[in-house]
Amino acid sequence: IFETKFAKLIGSKYAVGVNSGTDAIKLSLKALNIKNGDEVITAANTFVATVGAITEIGAKPIFVDCDNTFCMNISELEKKITKKTKAIVPVHFTGYMTNMPKLLRLAKKYNIPIIEDACQSILANINNKNAGTWGDFGAFSLHPLKNINVWSDGGIITTNKKKFYDKLI
């Protein structure tokens, strides 16, 4: 029931509860079949868990500097894309969001999936579209220090694609 309510709150079709925001990122990467040696682009300014999720599955994090919101500077992203790039993990930071309209254009151009690290940005939005609904996946944390939390730790993955939801459940 919580997942259904969370999906409705965020504006996604599906939500899956997991044990942490870290695992929300890691399981999303696994659902995309990211493997050892693949490159995953992410923001240089992030919590260690973002990088940990990438490296735990054997992928290599590729860092992009941040703009004045402390989120990924999309203007610096394209030069980091290689043939080994298999995903982009923008990190929405303290309620600020990565420039998702610009990021979506680039991701579409290169056919690269997006996993939004929205762990610190529940209900942040651009043009009334919430964090966690722009990319292929949204990864959320329910850590006790987050604005929606549980007593220990928890996480949620959102997606609008049934094929990804089916892989996760």
Side-chain angles (χ1 to χ4, degrees):
I1 287 181
F2 177 77
E3 288 99 339
T4 304
K5 288 183 178 185
F6 190 85
K8 185 176 179 181
L9 174 72
I10 295 302
S12 68
K13 288 183 183 175
Y14 308 103
V16 177
V18 295
N19 76 317
S20 67
T22 307
D23 274 357
I25 297 167
K26 183 168 56 175
L27 292 169
S28 298
L29 290 164
K30 284 185 169 204
L32 289 171
N33 297 313
I34 305 299
K35 296 184 179 14
N36 191 42
D38 290 340
E39 294 180 353
V40 176
I41 296 174
T42 193
N45 184 41
T46 187
F47 184 62
V48 68
T50 309
V51 178
I54 295 167
T55 59
E56 279 182 43
I57 61 168
K60 179 181 177 185
I62 304 297
F63 297 104
V64 173
D65 241 338
C66 298
D67 60 20
N68 62 358
T69 66
F70 298 104
C71 294
M72 183 186 290
N73 185 342
I74 302 307
S75 299
E76 301 291 319
L77 175 67
E78 194 166 16
K79 62 186 171 191
K80 301 284 187 164
I81 296 172
T82 71
K83 290 179 182 180
K84 289 185 175 185
T85 304
K86 303 299 180 194
I88 301 170
V89 181
V91 180
H92 306 315
F93 188 66
T94 63
Y96 288 101
M97 286 179 63
T98 301
N99 183 335
M100 292 306 294
K102 193 172 179 181
L103 176 55
L104 281 180
R105 286 191 293 276
L106 271 178
K108 191 173 197 172
K109 176 180 176 180
Y110 292 96
N111 195 29
I112 302 171
I114 297 170
I115 300 167
E116 295 174 71
D117 179 338
C119 290
Q120 290 195 17
S121 296
I122 294 174
L123 294 180
N125 70 78
I126 296 173
N127 300 326
N128 295 315
K129 186 169 173 63
N130 287 331
T133 64
W134 290 82
D136 297 279
F137 298 91
F140 294 88
S141 172
L142 302 177
H143 184 274
L145 297 177
K146 302 299 191 275
N147 56 344
I148 297 178
N149 56 62
V150 295
W151 274 31
S152 178
D153 205 350
I156 296 188
I157 302 169
T158 56
T159 186
N160 286 315
K161 297 183 179 179
K162 183 157 180 19
K163 69 177 183 175
F164 292 144
Y165 175 72
D166 289 343
K167 278 186 155 184
L168 293 167
I169 57 169

